[in-house]
Amino acid sequence: IPIGDVTKTSSSTLLSGKVECGMLKVGQKVVLMPAKQECIVKGVQSRDISVRSVKTGSYCDIVQLPIEPHFASIGHVLCDASCPIPLVSSFKAQILVFDPDLPLTKGMQLMLHMYTNVELVMIEKINGLLNKKTGGLEPKRPKCLIKGQAAQITLRLHDAGRRICMDTKPPKGAPTSFSRVVLRLGSCTVAAGVVIELVDRT
């Protein structure tokens, strides 16, 4: 569950967000990433009704956790403790370039929008243009990307010490919000795509 809101009560921290995959139930052992704080779910409310469990696609108005609020922030992710989401500082993505005011080049800084998270990233490498027939990379690597081009690029977080929650597009089915990326430059959306490889993960 990507966290969309955080509220503190006298004894608990209350989170809200949509279940992107799997299920959540009262009594389940969970971990908040990237804080790596484990706890037990004390209560769940969906559509203003207290429930014992929720499944993929459900929106949780309240997830009650017995933790201090500084462990949870908008953009963090609540996971089952047995399978926490990877933490990443660098990744490869397949993108479609829209209509940027400037060509996209190596070293350019962009704002990454992903689920409820927003991060400053840098284009570390343009790996190549995608062949429309095969889906593979063209042999000649471009120096920049312009409107209408589909390409594979490597992105890295601007803050070298940070890690964010992310996953690759599943082999089958639609990508989740943890693998969909939107890239913006100022007020302009310049590209969008999916994560295909986690380069630097913990």
Side-chain angles (χ1 to χ4, degrees):
I1 301 176
I3 297 173
D5 196 18
V6 181
T7 305
K8 171 66 177 174
T9 68
S10 59
S11 60
S12 302
T13 296
L14 308 180
L15 313 179
S16 66
K18 181 183 176 183
V19 181
E20 287 289 337
C21 56
M23 67 179 297
L24 181 74
K25 58 185 178 180
V26 176
Q28 182 177 349
K29 186 177 182 180
V30 293
V31 59
L32 267 168
M33 301 294 283
K36 300 182 180 180
Q37 178 68 26
E38 294 186 351
C39 60
I40 302 296
V41 177
K42 295 299 183 182
V44 178
Q45 182 174 303
S46 179
R47 296 186 177 181
D48 298 323
I49 301 173
S50 293
V51 295
R52 296 294 300 175
S53 64
V54 286
K55 59 183 181 180
T56 301
S58 300
Y59 187 84
C60 298
D61 305 315
I62 293 176
V63 179
Q64 182 181 4
L65 303 177
I67 60 169
E68 292 298 320
H70 65 265
F71 288 116
S73 298
I74 295 173
H76 288 188
V77 178
L78 186 67
C79 312
D80 185 90
S82 65
C83 51
I85 192 168
L87 298 177
V88 178
S89 63
S90 177
F91 61 95
K92 292 181 181 179
Q94 289 183 349
I95 62 167
L96 175 64
V97 181
F98 297 148
D99 191 12
D101 294 332
L102 298 170
L104 305 186
T105 58
K106 178 180 176 180
M108 180 178 282
Q109 294 185 357
L110 302 167
M111 296 306 299
L112 167 69
H113 292 253
M114 199 172 198
Y115 49 97
T116 56
N117 203 12
V118 180
E119 296 283 344
L120 180 63
V121 295
M122 179 188 71
I123 299 177
E124 188 172 58
K125 186 178 181 181
I126 298 175
N127 302 316
L129 296 176
L130 296 176
N131 185 290
K132 294 182 179 180
K133 292 183 178 180
T134 66
L137 294 180
E138 297 283 5
K140 188 176 180 180
R141 186 183 301 168
K143 293 184 178 180
C144 65
L145 299 175
I146 58 175
K147 179 181 178 179
Q149 290 182 323
Q152 182 193 112
I153 61 174
T154 301
L155 292 162
R156 179 173 292 278
L157 296 183
H158 180 262
D159 185 345
R162 279 184 64 78
R163 299 287 188 275
I164 62 171
C165 301
M166 183 182 297
D167 210 348
T168 55
K169 178 184 180 298
K172 296 181 179 180
T176 69
S177 64
F178 300 120
S179 60
R180 291 192 296 265
V181 298
V182 174
L183 299 173
R184 293 177 63 86
L185 183 61
S187 60
C188 178
T189 299
V190 296
V194 294
V195 178
I196 59 169
E197 183 180 338
L198 308 180
V199 177
D200 184 3
R201 60 176 288 178
T202 57

